[in-house]
């Protein structure tokens, strides 16, 4: 995996900001965009999509993993998330679990406090390995 220092995080944020510009957030007004690097070199992105039945709304990370699978699968290696102002945002707990499924504990997340592995953002995570036991 590419070390965090060798990743162009500003470019990755620009992809996330572009995705955020297409968010559908008429109810909360809280647009979110995400972008990630994949282990095969692809860059993918996603935005949140709300629904009048709030519980059916999709976080941006849902769109991201859907694009991951739709474009060939693989593993997420580096991830960033931005709010409607384009500022770095930390994924919610549900989305951290989703990212764990597709990136694992070593996935590097850009946070307001710096880049850190998902294992620090979701300690003692439950994952596919627990279901195989």
């Amino acid at each position: 995996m590419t070390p965090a220092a060798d990743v162009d995080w500003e470019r990755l944020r620009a992809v996330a900001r572009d995705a955020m510009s297409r968010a559908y957030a008429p109810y909360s007004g809280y647009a979110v965009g995400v972008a990630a690097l994949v282990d095969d070199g692809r860059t993918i992105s996603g935005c949140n999509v709300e629904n009048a039945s709030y519980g059916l709304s999709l976080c941006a990370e849902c769109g991201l993993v859907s694009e991951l699978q739709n474009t060939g699968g693989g593993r997420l290696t580096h991830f960033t998330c931005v709010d409607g102002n384009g500022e770095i945002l930390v994924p919610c707990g549900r989305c951290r679990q989703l990212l764990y499924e597709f990136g694992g504990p070593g996935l590097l997340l850009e946070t307001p406090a710096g880049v850190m592995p998902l294992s620090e953002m979701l300690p003692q995570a439950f994952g596919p390995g627990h279901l195989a036991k």
Side-chain angles (χ1 to χ4, degrees):
M1 179 168 44
T2 305
D6 294 341
V7 169
D8 185 347
W9 290 99
E10 182 53 46
R11 186 185 79 71
L12 199 58
R13 276 193 306 280
V15 173
R17 288 180 185 124
D18 183 56
M20 178 270 300
S21 74
R22 289 184 296 282
Y24 180 72
Y27 307 106
S28 71
Y30 198 79
V32 176
V34 296
L37 299 180
V38 182
D39 60 1
D40 65 4
R42 282 177 292 146
T43 300
I44 59 173
S45 62
C47 62
N48 61 320
V49 178
E50 293 181 348
N51 185 284
S53 175
Y54 293 122
L56 297 179
S57 294
L58 300 174
C59 293
E61 292 82 351
C62 294
L64 180 103
V65 298
S66 181
E67 183 175 337
L68 174 69
Q69 290 305 111
N70 192 44
T71 60
R75 301 293 289 168
L76 301 173
T77 61
H78 300 79
F79 173 88
T80 193
C81 181
V82 299
D83 64 17
N85 295 318
E87 299 298 321
I88 299 168
L89 180 66
V90 176
C92 72
R94 173 184 179 269
C95 290
R96 291 177 199 186
Q97 184 66 42
L98 191 60
L99 292 170
Y100 187 85
E101 184 82 15
F102 293 94
L107 171 61
L108 296 178
L109 276 69
E110 183 179 39
T111 76
V115 176
M116 58 184 59
L118 182 55
S119 61
E120 289 184 31
M121 299 295 297
L122 189 65
Q124 301 182 44
F126 177 86
H130 291 94
L131 299 176
K133 293 181 180 177

